[in-house]
Amino acid sequence: MAPDKPLLWSNFAGDLAAAGEAAGAAAAYRRAVEMAPGSGAAWLGLANLRLARPAAEDVATIEQAVGAADDPYQKMQMLFALGRFHDELGAFDRSFTCFSEANSLRERLVPHDASGLTALVDAQLGLPGAFFAEQPEPDIDEAGAIFIVGMPRSGSTLVEQMLDCHPEIEGGGELFVLQEIAASLGAFEAPASFARRVQALTRDEAAQLRTHYRHSTARFRKTKRRYFIDKMPANWRFVTLIQRILPNARIIDVRRDPMACCFSAYTTYFNRHTDFPNELEHLGQYFGHYVRTMDMARTSMPKRVYRMEYEELVAHANREIRALLEFLQRPFSDFCLRPQENPRAVHTPSAQQVREPVHRLKDQVRNYLPWLGPLRSALEPGHPSK
C-alpha cells in the first residue's frame, strides 16, 4: 500500500528477521537504506544479520550518513552498525571507536542510574534471612512460571529457545510486567522503601500482585502449554519480589564469561526504554551487582534458583539440558537439542544465532583487550562495587 515508505520496509524486515527469514529481511532492509541512507534501524538490522562480509560502499554510506544525521537515535544506531561492520572487516580500533561513540551518545540520551541500582541491590541484600525462610516448599506445578535472568548477551535467548522446544513449556520473550509491578512498589524512586514493602506484604496483598502478574502475562500467551517463560534478563533486580509474590516460580540464572559477556553487551544497541550501563566501568559494576544478588538468591533458595553456565551448555548441550529439565521437574525431550528447528519468532539481537545448531558465540573480546582496562578493573574482586 505504501512501498515508498522506508520505515515500513525496515519494520517489515524486523518481522522477517524475527521469524527466521534472514534473506528476506536483508532484502527489505536494503530497500529501506536505498530510500533513506540515514535509516539507523535498517542499517543496524542489516548489521545484526551478519549474512555477508560488509561492502566498502556500505561503510562509506553509513559514515557519510552519520556525519549528516540530525536524529541522535538514528545516529546512535548507525554507529552501532558501523562498529559491527568494522569488526567484521578486522578494523578493531575503528570498530571500538564507533562503539564508544555510540555508547557515549546513548548515555546522554538514556543515562544509566548507577547509584540507584546500587541502592536497590543493597536494600534487597539487606533483608533478613528469615524473609526467604518463611516461604513454603516450592511446587512448580502450582504456578508454572519460569524466569530466565542474567546479563544481556549471556545466552539467555538460547536457553529460552531450547526450553520452548519442550511440549510443556512456552517461551514468552522479554516482558516488562514484573518491572512494572516493582515500579509501582517504589523500586526505582525509593529502593529502601521498596525492600521494606516487599518484606511487609500481607498474604492477601501478595496474592493480588500474583493475580495481576498472571493476568498481565496471559495476553502474551500463544499456546495452551502448562509452563510459561518470562525471559527478561534484568528481572534479577527483583528476585525478592519474585520470592514474595510468586513463591513457586523457578528462576534460571544464565552466566557467561564476564569479559566476553560485558563487552558483547557494550556492542549491542538497547532501546530508549532500557536502563542499562553505557560505560565500561558501569558495566563491570552492573555485572558485580547481578552476581551478588543471584548468588544470594541461590544460597537462600537453592530449590528455586538454577545456575546455567553458557560455556557448559554449548559444549555439552545434552547433559546440561537434561539437568535443567530435571530441575524443572519435566521429562526430557530430544527437540530441546534442536532449537534451530523451532519456528517461533525471536525478537532479540540473538534471533539469527538461535536459528543455527547450538554453538558457542564468537568471543570478540580478545580483539579489544587494549581498550577494556576500565571493564577489567571493575570486574576485579577488590573493586568498590563488590
Side-chain angles (χ1 to χ4, degrees), residues 151 256 258 262 282-292 379:
M151 290 286 292
R256 183 183 170 196
C262 287
H282 287 166
L283 255 176
Q285 294 173 2
Y286 185 98
F287 188 90
H289 288 321
Y290 147 64
V291 168
R292 289 169 56 211
L379 289 170

Side-chain angles (χ1 to χ4, degrees), residues 20-275:
E21 299 289 342
Y29 280 134
R30 284 288 177 191
R31 289 287 296 271
V33 297
E34 286 169 4
M35 289 185 281
S39 177
W43 281 119
L44 182 62
L46 198 59
N48 285 338
L49 290 176
R50 297 193 174 190
L51 294 182
R53 184 178 176 85
E57 53 266 31
D58 285 340
V59 173
T61 299
I62 300 179
E63 288 182 337
Q64 184 176 3
V66 165
D70 294 325
D71 185 329
Y73 288 98
Q74 299 276 6
K75 181 177 181 178
M76 176 171 53
Q77 290 174 318
M78 284 188 286
L79 283 168
F80 275 110
L82 194 56
R84 289 191 179 275
F85 282 169
H86 281 303
D87 175 83
E88 291 289 328
L89 295 170
F92 303 120
D93 54 346
R94 179 58 183 145
S95 174
F96 183 79
T97 297
C98 292
F99 289 135
S100 180
E101 291 178 1
N103 279 283
S104 295
L105 180 55
R106 188 175 188 276
E107 180 63 22
R108 295 197 294 272
L109 298 171
V110 191
H112 170 57
D113 185 6
S115 60
L117 177 64
T118 299
L120 178 61
V121 168
D122 289 345
Q124 294 181 89
L125 292 180
L127 288 172
F131 172 82
F132 297 95
E134 291 169 356
Q135 303 300 325
E137 182 75 10
D139 178 7
I140 191 173
D141 285 331
E142 182 180 328
I146 301 170
F147 290 88
I148 297 180
V149 304
M151 290 286 292
R153 309 300 295 158
S154 65
S156 57
T157 299
L158 174 61
V159 174
E160 183 189 32
Q161 183 82 339
M162 297 176 81
L163 288 180
D164 182 82
C165 291
H166 196 282
E168 299 180 46
I169 303 173
E170 177 183 356
E174 298 184 349
L175 308 179
F176 288 90
V177 177
L178 191 70
Q179 178 176 305
E180 292 166 357
I181 295 175
S184 73
L185 297 175
F188 305 110
E189 296 179 355
S193 176
F194 165 74
R196 291 193 297 270
R197 289 190 66 181
V198 170
Q199 182 182 9
L201 286 173
T202 66
R203 187 181 298 273
D204 287 344
E205 290 171 335
Q208 289 175 0
L209 292 176
R210 179 162 56 251
T211 299
H212 173 71
Y213 174 84
R214 288 175 174 170
H215 286 172
S216 297
T217 55
R219 67 182 186 271
F220 299 104
R221 300 292 298 266
K222 297 180 175 64
T223 74
K224 298 294 185 180
R225 297 179 189 180
R226 185 170 188 175
Y227 303 97
F228 180 71
I229 298 174
D230 183 337
K231 192 208 78 76
M232 173 56 75
N235 276 341
W236 66 265
R237 299 173 298 172
F238 315 118
V239 67
T240 57
L241 181 61
I242 296 175
Q243 159 70 358
R244 194 69 182 88
I245 71 172
L246 294 164
N248 301 301
R250 291 292 197 271
I251 304 171
I252 304 170
D253 171 17
V254 184
R255 303 225 184 154
R256 183 183 170 196
D257 174 79
M259 284 289 288
C261 186
C262 287
F263 181 67
S264 185
Y266 187 73
T267 68
T268 301
Y269 168 76
F270 296 98
N271 63 51
R272 66 186 71 185
H273 305 295
T274 300
D275 178 8

